[in-house]
Amino acid sequence: VAMTGANNVYFDGPPLLIFGPEHASMIARDGYSKADVKKFVYEHGRVRLDAFSDENIERRIRQWPVFKGEFTEAGPDRMVPVMKSAENAHIVVIGGGPAGSMVARLLASWGHRVVVIAREVDRRRGLAESLPPSSRKVLAAVGALEAVDAAGFSRGIGNAVWWGEREAQLEPYDAGRDRGFQVFRPDLDALFQQLAIDAGVEWVGDATVTRTATTTVEYTQAGVTRQRRGRFIIDASGRSGVIGKPFRQYEPAFRMQALIGVWQRPGGWGLPDESYTIVETCEDGWAWSIPVAADTRHLVVMVDGTVSEVPRGRTLESTYRAALTKSRQLEALRAGAELQQTWACDASVYSASSYGGLYGLREAGSHGSPPDTGLHGAPGSSASGFVLVGDAGATIDPLSSF
């Protein structure tokens, strides 16, 4: 590894170390982990500066952007590392929701070294979501279906819809198919996190990403700033859009706000089937409700923030209650129930139809225009050094995504 001809020195690519099963078992038997091996290679995989040719010292080391000026004034006995970090990873995923954890799990199962950097989950702002039976195919494809089936989530058998009509349109799922799931997102996220870890993904939790570059993510964790590098970065940070937000194009007619209330009603809700998702149109928007337990439902009102005539109360709760009166079915549903908490968030419709590469560190979540590097591609392309997945790239159905 420590040789002047290694391109890892000049181009910052992570070296690939391959151990046979005999040597790997010897290392493990002596108590060394993968992290220990990487640390050893990082600390000992170094070459004296004067071992390089004069041309490479000046052009590839002193002036090369990879080293950020570290060797500009270095003497001949200075040691040049082959690895820039003991924690170099093949892929860095920002965001630990369903998109981030499952793409990480899938990539790890294909043999990639994957690191997920995820923020702390705030259960007070967790949303109920509905996964229809069709989602079972996706869950099976990423190896998560068995775990989700066994997790004890409420099962959904259909929808009751009032879309511009006074009479309900009942939409039961096909009786011959398996049911869907009514989930509380923080619980689903925790399940998917464990599945990713079980697949070999390194999980960096309770972290906040502060800056990103094409192959580098800078984050803070417990007050300490760290960096992780990867061959490419996946932005799965949802609506936060750590990388994707500057590239978003919003639909002017759908600048929506979601007003969310968590309600409890002992003894159930008096519905023909307690598992149904309820959807209805109402003045200034639409509303929906999903159960997360026999006595607990989320009642959500989606309003157009630009034209809504919902009176703004002195508190979020008063504004939410005023918006709820615009609905017919949800307003009736809450009778006899007790409001546990309210919160709100942006629910606007957007997409990121094209983007350029990010060169140089950028503050995470910046609203400024990205530099024009000449590299453009549709979401899913890795031509720019990163990929947007899930809500980081485009709005997904708000009943099954947040």
Side-chain angles (χ1 to χ4, degrees):
V1 173
M3 60 182 66
T4 59
N7 284 335
N8 303 86
V9 175
Y10 309 117
F11 296 104
D12 198 19
L16 177 63
L17 305 179
I18 301 176
F19 294 90
E22 298 87 355
H23 292 126
S25 62
M26 291 170 59
I27 293 171
R29 187 174 61 246
D30 289 342
Y32 295 101
S33 65
K34 287 184 179 180
D36 294 329
V37 173
K38 290 192 289 184
K39 182 179 179 183
F40 181 89
V41 174
Y42 170 67
E43 292 176 347
H44 293 80
R46 296 169 183 254
V47 183
R48 279 178 58 105
L49 184 61
D50 58 4
F52 295 91
S53 67
D54 291 341
E55 178 185 3
N56 278 335
I57 291 174
E58 291 303 319
R59 187 166 65 93
R60 295 290 192 185
I61 299 177
R62 295 196 191 279
Q63 301 177 31
W64 201 236
V66 164
F67 294 104
K68 302 177 183 178
E70 181 182 351
F71 293 91
T72 302
E73 305 294 336
D77 59 347
R78 179 72 178 274
M79 302 299 289
V80 181
V82 174
M83 295 171 62
K84 304 306 178 290
S85 167
E87 300 177 326
N88 275 11
H90 285 172
I91 301 162
V92 178
V93 179
I94 303 172
S101 56
M102 287 299 95
V103 74
R105 174 182 169 85
L106 199 59
L107 289 167
S109 71
W110 292 343
H112 294 283
R113 188 165 68 250
V114 185
V115 177
V116 171
I117 301 174
R119 66 184 179 185
E120 181 180 5
V121 175
D122 185 356
R123 292 184 66 85
R124 297 170 303 174
R125 293 175 63 86
L127 192 67
E129 296 184 1
S130 180
L131 305 183
S134 58
S135 66
R136 300 177 68 88
K137 293 180 180 180
V138 179
L139 294 171
V142 296
L145 179 58
E146 184 177 348
V148 175
D149 260 330
F153 294 121
S154 298
R155 298 303 177 97
I157 67 167
N159 307 314
V161 181
W162 288 262
W163 202 258
E165 299 177 357
R166 287 186 173 273
E167 296 298 322
Q169 179 179 349
L170 300 181
E171 300 176 346
Y173 298 140
D174 188 339
R177 299 173 61 188
D178 290 314
R179 295 184 175 188
F181 304 96
Q182 310 287 45
V183 303
F184 182 52
R185 259 293 298 277
D187 292 340
L188 184 69
D189 289 356
L191 175 63
F192 283 178
Q193 173 185 338
Q194 189 57 54
L195 290 174
I197 293 172
D198 291 345
V201 173
E202 180 183 350
W203 197 277
V204 179
D206 297 345
T208 301
V209 174
T210 53
R211 294 192 293 179
T212 62
T214 48
T215 60
T216 303
V217 175
E218 183 178 284
Y219 64 94
T220 59
Q221 184 187 47
V224 179
T225 299
R226 296 182 172 90
Q227 287 188 352
R228 299 303 296 264
R229 303 179 68 86
R231 288 168 56 191
F232 63 90
I233 301 170
I234 296 176
D235 182 2
S237 61
R239 286 185 171 271
S240 298
V242 170
I243 293 176
K245 198 166 190 175
F247 308 99
R248 286 182 183 166
Q249 299 175 1
Y250 286 87
E251 296 288 341
F254 297 98
R255 297 307 296 256
M256 308 296 291
Q257 298 291 320
L259 305 176
I260 300 121
V262 181
W263 296 79
Q264 282 190 344
R265 185 178 180 184
W269 299 87
L271 297 171
D273 191 289
E274 299 285 359
S275 74
Y276 263 38
T277 296
I278 296 174
V279 182
E280 67 170 313
T281 53
C282 57
E283 186 179 349
D284 298 333
W286 58 291
W288 53 269
S289 175
I290 295 174
V292 293
D295 64 348
T296 305
R297 274 184 170 267
H298 289 208
L299 276 61
V300 181
V301 184
M302 312 283 284
V303 297
D304 187 332
T306 61
V307 301
S308 174
E309 296 182 359
V310 172
R312 300 300 195 263
R314 298 183 62 181
T315 65
L316 175 59
E317 179 178 333
S318 61
T319 301
Y320 168 73
R321 286 182 180 274
L324 198 57
T325 63
K326 302 284 186 176
S327 69
R328 182 184 299 270
Q329 304 304 322
L330 265 62
E331 176 68 1
L333 185 66
R334 74 175 183 87
E338 182 178 347
L339 180 62
Q340 302 298 305
Q341 70 175 87
T342 58
W343 54 284
C345 66
D346 177 59
S348 299
V349 177
Y350 58 82
S351 64
S353 59
S354 64
Y355 48 78
L358 294 180
Y359 287 86
L361 291 176
R362 168 187 295 281
E363 293 296 330
S366 167
H367 292 270
S369 299
D372 185 2
T373 62
L375 295 175
H376 299 277
S381 164
S382 59
S384 303
F386 62 87
V387 178
L388 308 180
V389 301
D391 278 308
T395 306
I396 304 177
D397 186 344
L399 282 177
S400 57
S401 176
F402 176 70

